[in-house]
Amino acid sequence: MRRPSRATLYGADPAHDDLHQFETSWLLSPTILACLRGLISLYIFTTIIVIWVWYGTHDERVEIGQSFSYFTWLTYWGLGFYFLVSAIHTALYARTGRSVLFNRLPRFFRVLHAIFYASITTYPFLVTIVFWGILYSGPFYTIIFPRWSNISQHGLNSFYALLEILLPTTAPHPLIALPVLILLLLFYLCVAYITYHTEGFYPYSFLNTENGKKSGTVAGYCFGILAAILVIFFISWGLIWVRRRISGGKVKRSRRDSAQGRGGFMFRNADEGGCGNEMKSVVV
């Protein structure tokens, strides 16, 4: 049995470069996919700017700086930059038929992009679950602005993540991404307690350990979040696997893609991610 290469384990196998998995969709043309990703990125950054303007005009300027201490905000920024970067990658592929930036950058950047993709298809669901399941206590927002901002950051974020699970031709996450996601959560835990010791507040109340009797509860929340990210990761992995099965390996390629086959179709083996499907290229 052939031992998988290190590049394969990290989701950056050179043998699969011509599949352009991060830049193509089985349903949308590369141009439409690039536009969709660009619009989502634009909405996310517009949301951030509008919220900051609201803070600045309602005597809440301090919350602009404090926002970087919240996992919600950090993942929302991550979503915005992912969709911006992926829109650029996809637009360049649609125009040239090549992975312009990926081909010029060291392969390590493909690894980083694979892990980035894993993070934006897992963390948003965690944010949504924690906010509506633990932090939100009702009644529902009656003022339009907080209603819109919370739905955008704690609801639409998961919708965007779901789109990235269902629409592209990406392979299931490399399992090596899971310990990286857990490590990032541990780093955020450090940020939360550094925030308390420097700014005097806990970003999330369930992390409050001032009362010794609450230490066990805080530990319980932390292990609960750990369990949640494990479950979310494998659900996301499974949905991607199912999507690849249902789509039958179809790929809508750029017209300028030199890998296209005669008559606009190309068939090849694609065993990565455990699918074992043929990859059918459709020129658009």
Side-chain angles (χ1 to χ4, degrees), residues 159-190:
F159 175 68
Y160 302 147
L162 187 61
L163 288 179
E164 277 298 307
I165 289 174
L166 299 179
L167 291 180
T169 59
T170 48
H173 310 311
L175 295 182
I176 197 68
L178 181 55
V180 176
L181 298 180
I182 295 173
L183 182 63
L184 291 175
L185 286 175
L186 290 174
F187 285 159
Y188 173 72
L189 194 61
C190 296

Short mmCIF file of all heavy atoms in Angstrom, two decimals, residues 159-190:
data_model
loop_
_atom_site.label_atom_id
_atom_site.label_comp_id
_atom_site.label_asym_id
_atom_site.label_seq_id
_atom_site.Cartn_x
_atom_site.Cartn_y
_atom_site.Cartn_z
N PHE A 159 -24.20 30.49 7.43
CA PHE A 159 -24.72 30.32 6.08
C PHE A 159 -23.58 30.41 5.07
O PHE A 159 -23.51 29.62 4.12
CB PHE A 159 -25.79 31.37 5.79
CG PHE A 159 -26.30 31.36 4.38
CD1 PHE A 159 -27.05 30.30 3.91
CD2 PHE A 159 -26.02 32.41 3.52
CE1 PHE A 159 -27.51 30.27 2.60
CE2 PHE A 159 -26.48 32.39 2.21
CZ PHE A 159 -27.23 31.32 1.75
N TYR A 160 -22.69 31.38 5.27
CA TYR A 160 -21.53 31.52 4.37
C TYR A 160 -20.65 30.27 4.44
O TYR A 160 -20.15 29.79 3.41
CB TYR A 160 -20.70 32.73 4.74
CG TYR A 160 -21.45 34.04 4.72
CD1 TYR A 160 -21.12 35.07 5.61
CD2 TYR A 160 -22.48 34.26 3.81
CE1 TYR A 160 -21.80 36.28 5.60
CE2 TYR A 160 -23.16 35.46 3.80
CZ TYR A 160 -22.82 36.45 4.70
OH TYR A 160 -23.51 37.65 4.69
N ALA A 161 -20.44 29.75 5.65
CA ALA A 161 -19.63 28.54 5.81
C ALA A 161 -20.28 27.37 5.09
O ALA A 161 -19.60 26.56 4.44
CB ALA A 161 -19.44 28.22 7.28
N LEU A 162 -21.60 27.28 5.17
CA LEU A 162 -22.32 26.19 4.51
C LEU A 162 -22.19 26.28 3.00
O LEU A 162 -22.04 25.26 2.31
CB LEU A 162 -23.79 26.21 4.93
CG LEU A 162 -24.65 25.04 4.46
CD1 LEU A 162 -24.12 23.72 5.02
CD2 LEU A 162 -26.11 25.25 4.86
N LEU A 163 -22.23 27.50 2.47
CA LEU A 163 -22.03 27.68 1.03
C LEU A 163 -20.67 27.16 0.59
O LEU A 163 -20.55 26.53 -0.47
CB LEU A 163 -22.17 29.16 0.65
CG LEU A 163 -23.57 29.77 0.68
CD1 LEU A 163 -23.50 31.25 0.30
CD2 LEU A 163 -24.52 29.03 -0.24
N GLU A 164 -19.65 27.42 1.40
CA GLU A 164 -18.30 26.97 1.05
C GLU A 164 -18.15 25.46 1.19
O GLU A 164 -17.24 24.87 0.61
CB GLU A 164 -17.25 27.69 1.91
CG GLU A 164 -16.89 29.05 1.39
CD GLU A 164 -16.27 28.99 0.00
OE1 GLU A 164 -15.31 28.23 -0.21
OE2 GLU A 164 -16.75 29.70 -0.89
N ILE A 165 -19.02 24.84 1.96
CA ILE A 165 -19.02 23.38 2.05
C ILE A 165 -19.70 22.77 0.82
O ILE A 165 -19.23 21.78 0.26
CB ILE A 165 -19.74 22.92 3.33
CG1 ILE A 165 -18.89 23.24 4.57
CG2 ILE A 165 -20.06 21.43 3.29
CD1 ILE A 165 -19.59 22.95 5.88
N LEU A 166 -20.78 23.40 0.37
CA LEU A 166 -21.63 22.80 -0.65
C LEU A 166 -21.26 23.16 -2.09
O LEU A 166 -21.46 22.36 -2.99
CB LEU A 166 -23.10 23.20 -0.40
CG LEU A 166 -23.71 22.77 0.94
CD1 LEU A 166 -25.14 23.25 1.04
CD2 LEU A 166 -23.63 21.26 1.10
N LEU A 167 -20.72 24.36 -2.32
CA LEU A 167 -20.54 24.83 -3.70
C LEU A 167 -19.22 24.46 -4.36
O LEU A 167 -19.22 24.10 -5.55
CB LEU A 167 -20.75 26.34 -3.76
CG LEU A 167 -22.17 26.85 -3.51
CD1 LEU A 167 -22.21 28.37 -3.61
CD2 LEU A 167 -23.14 26.22 -4.51
N PRO A 168 -18.07 24.57 -3.70
CA PRO A 168 -16.81 24.31 -4.41
C PRO A 168 -16.60 22.82 -4.69
O PRO A 168 -17.43 21.97 -4.32
CB PRO A 168 -15.74 24.83 -3.43
CG PRO A 168 -16.48 25.62 -2.40
CD PRO A 168 -17.85 25.03 -2.32
N THR A 169 -15.49 22.51 -5.34
CA THR A 169 -15.11 21.12 -5.58
C THR A 169 -14.01 20.68 -4.62
O THR A 169 -13.27 19.73 -4.91
CB THR A 169 -14.63 20.95 -7.04
OG1 THR A 169 -13.51 21.82 -7.27
CG2 THR A 169 -15.74 21.25 -8.02
N THR A 170 -13.90 21.34 -3.51
CA THR A 170 -12.87 21.03 -2.52
C THR A 170 -12.99 19.60 -2.01
O THR A 170 -14.09 19.04 -1.95
CB THR A 170 -12.97 21.99 -1.32
OG1 THR A 170 -14.34 22.05 -0.90
CG2 THR A 170 -12.50 23.38 -1.69
N ALA A 171 -11.86 19.04 -1.62
CA ALA A 171 -11.83 17.71 -1.01
C ALA A 171 -12.09 17.86 0.50
O ALA A 171 -11.96 18.94 1.06
CB ALA A 171 -10.48 17.06 -1.24
N PRO A 172 -12.47 16.77 1.17
CA PRO A 172 -12.62 16.82 2.63
C PRO A 172 -11.34 17.32 3.29
O PRO A 172 -10.23 17.10 2.79
CB PRO A 172 -12.91 15.36 2.99
CG PRO A 172 -13.59 14.81 1.78
CD PRO A 172 -12.90 15.45 0.62
N HIS A 173 -11.50 17.96 4.43
CA HIS A 173 -10.36 18.56 5.12
C HIS A 173 -9.27 17.53 5.41
O HIS A 173 -9.57 16.39 5.77
CB HIS A 173 -10.80 19.15 6.47
CG HIS A 173 -11.99 20.04 6.39
ND1 HIS A 173 -12.10 21.06 5.46
CD2 HIS A 173 -13.13 20.09 7.13
CE1 HIS A 173 -13.25 21.68 5.63
NE2 HIS A 173 -13.90 21.11 6.62
N PRO A 174 -8.00 17.93 5.29
CA PRO A 174 -6.93 17.06 5.77
C PRO A 174 -7.05 16.92 7.29
O PRO A 174 -7.31 17.91 7.99
CB PRO A 174 -5.66 17.81 5.37
CG PRO A 174 -6.07 19.24 5.26
CD PRO A 174 -7.50 19.21 4.76
N LEU A 175 -6.90 15.73 7.80
CA LEU A 175 -7.09 15.51 9.24
C LEU A 175 -6.08 16.29 10.07
O LEU A 175 -6.33 16.60 11.24
CB LEU A 175 -7.02 14.02 9.56
CG LEU A 175 -8.13 13.17 8.94
CD1 LEU A 175 -7.97 11.70 9.36
CD2 LEU A 175 -9.50 13.68 9.33
N ILE A 176 -4.95 16.63 9.46
CA ILE A 176 -3.93 17.40 10.18
C ILE A 176 -4.45 18.78 10.56
O ILE A 176 -3.91 19.44 11.46
CB ILE A 176 -2.65 17.52 9.33
CG1 ILE A 176 -1.45 17.92 10.19
CG2 ILE A 176 -2.85 18.49 8.19
CD1 ILE A 176 -1.01 16.89 11.16
N ALA A 177 -5.53 19.24 9.88
CA ALA A 177 -6.08 20.55 10.19
C ALA A 177 -6.76 20.57 11.56
O ALA A 177 -6.85 21.62 12.19
CB ALA A 177 -7.09 20.98 9.12
N LEU A 178 -7.24 19.42 12.01
CA LEU A 178 -7.97 19.38 13.28
C LEU A 178 -7.12 19.82 14.47
O LEU A 178 -7.55 20.68 15.24
CB LEU A 178 -8.55 17.98 13.51
CG LEU A 178 -9.37 17.79 14.79
CD1 LEU A 178 -10.51 18.81 14.87
CD2 LEU A 178 -9.91 16.38 14.87
N PRO A 179 -5.91 19.27 14.68
CA PRO A 179 -5.10 19.77 15.79
C PRO A 179 -4.73 21.25 15.66
O PRO A 179 -4.58 21.94 16.66
CB PRO A 179 -3.85 18.88 15.76
CG PRO A 179 -3.85 18.22 14.44
CD PRO A 179 -5.28 18.11 14.03
N VAL A 180 -4.62 21.73 14.41
CA VAL A 180 -4.34 23.16 14.22
C VAL A 180 -5.52 23.99 14.70
O VAL A 180 -5.34 25.01 15.38
CB VAL A 180 -4.04 23.47 12.74
CG1 VAL A 180 -3.86 24.98 12.53
CG2 VAL A 180 -2.80 22.72 12.27
N LEU A 181 -6.75 23.57 14.39
CA LEU A 181 -7.94 24.29 14.83
C LEU A 181 -8.04 24.29 16.35
O LEU A 181 -8.40 25.31 16.96
CB LEU A 181 -9.20 23.65 14.23
CG LEU A 181 -9.32 23.67 12.71
CD1 LEU A 181 -10.62 23.02 12.28
CD2 LEU A 181 -9.24 25.10 12.17
N ILE A 182 -7.72 23.17 16.97
CA ILE A 182 -7.75 23.09 18.44
C ILE A 182 -6.68 24.00 19.04
O ILE A 182 -6.93 24.70 20.03
CB ILE A 182 -7.55 21.64 18.90
CG1 ILE A 182 -8.74 20.78 18.44
CG2 ILE A 182 -7.39 21.56 20.41
CD1 ILE A 182 -8.55 19.30 18.70
N LEU A 183 -5.50 24.02 18.43
CA LEU A 183 -4.42 24.89 18.90
C LEU A 183 -4.82 26.36 18.82
O LEU A 183 -4.54 27.14 19.74
CB LEU A 183 -3.16 24.63 18.09
CG LEU A 183 -1.91 25.42 18.51
CD1 LEU A 183 -1.50 25.06 19.94
CD2 LEU A 183 -0.77 25.15 17.54
N LEU A 184 -5.49 26.74 17.74
CA LEU A 184 -5.95 28.12 17.59
C LEU A 184 -6.97 28.48 18.67
O LEU A 184 -6.99 29.62 19.17
CB LEU A 184 -6.53 28.34 16.20
CG LEU A 184 -5.54 28.30 15.04
CD1 LEU A 184 -6.27 28.41 13.71
CD2 LEU A 184 -4.51 29.41 15.17
N LEU A 185 -7.82 27.54 19.04
CA LEU A 185 -8.77 27.78 20.13
C LEU A 185 -8.04 27.99 21.45
O LEU A 185 -8.42 28.85 22.25
CB LEU A 185 -9.75 26.61 20.25
CG LEU A 185 -10.83 26.51 19.16
CD1 LEU A 185 -11.64 25.24 19.36
CD2 LEU A 185 -11.75 27.73 19.21
N LEU A 186 -6.97 27.23 21.67
CA LEU A 186 -6.17 27.42 22.88
C LEU A 186 -5.49 28.79 22.87
O LEU A 186 -5.42 29.46 23.91
CB LEU A 186 -5.12 26.31 22.99
CG LEU A 186 -5.65 24.90 23.30
CD1 LEU A 186 -4.52 23.88 23.24
CD2 LEU A 186 -6.31 24.88 24.68
N PHE A 187 -5.01 29.20 21.71
CA PHE A 187 -4.41 30.54 21.60
C PHE A 187 -5.46 31.61 21.92
O PHE A 187 -5.15 32.61 22.58
CB PHE A 187 -3.85 30.76 20.20
CG PHE A 187 -2.56 30.05 19.94
CD1 PHE A 187 -2.13 29.78 18.64
CD2 PHE A 187 -1.75 29.65 20.98
CE1 PHE A 187 -0.94 29.13 18.40
CE2 PHE A 187 -0.55 28.99 20.75
CZ PHE A 187 -0.15 28.73 19.46
N TYR A 188 -6.70 31.40 21.42
CA TYR A 188 -7.73 32.39 21.73
C TYR A 188 -8.03 32.42 23.22
O TYR A 188 -8.27 33.50 23.78
CB TYR A 188 -9.05 32.12 20.98
CG TYR A 188 -10.10 33.07 21.49
CD1 TYR A 188 -10.04 34.42 21.14
CD2 TYR A 188 -11.06 32.67 22.41
CE1 TYR A 188 -10.93 35.33 21.67
CE2 TYR A 188 -11.95 33.59 22.95
CZ TYR A 188 -11.88 34.91 22.57
OH TYR A 188 -12.74 35.82 23.12
N LEU A 189 -8.00 31.28 23.88
CA LEU A 189 -8.22 31.25 25.33
C LEU A 189 -7.18 32.13 26.03
O LEU A 189 -7.50 32.84 26.99
CB LEU A 189 -8.14 29.81 25.83
CG LEU A 189 -8.65 29.53 27.25
CD1 LEU A 189 -10.12 29.88 27.37
CD2 LEU A 189 -8.41 28.07 27.62
N CYS A 190 -5.95 32.09 25.54
CA CYS A 190 -4.90 32.97 26.07
C CYS A 190 -5.26 34.43 25.84
O CYS A 190 -5.08 35.28 26.73
CB CYS A 190 -3.56 32.65 25.41
SG CYS A 190 -2.92 31.00 25.76
#
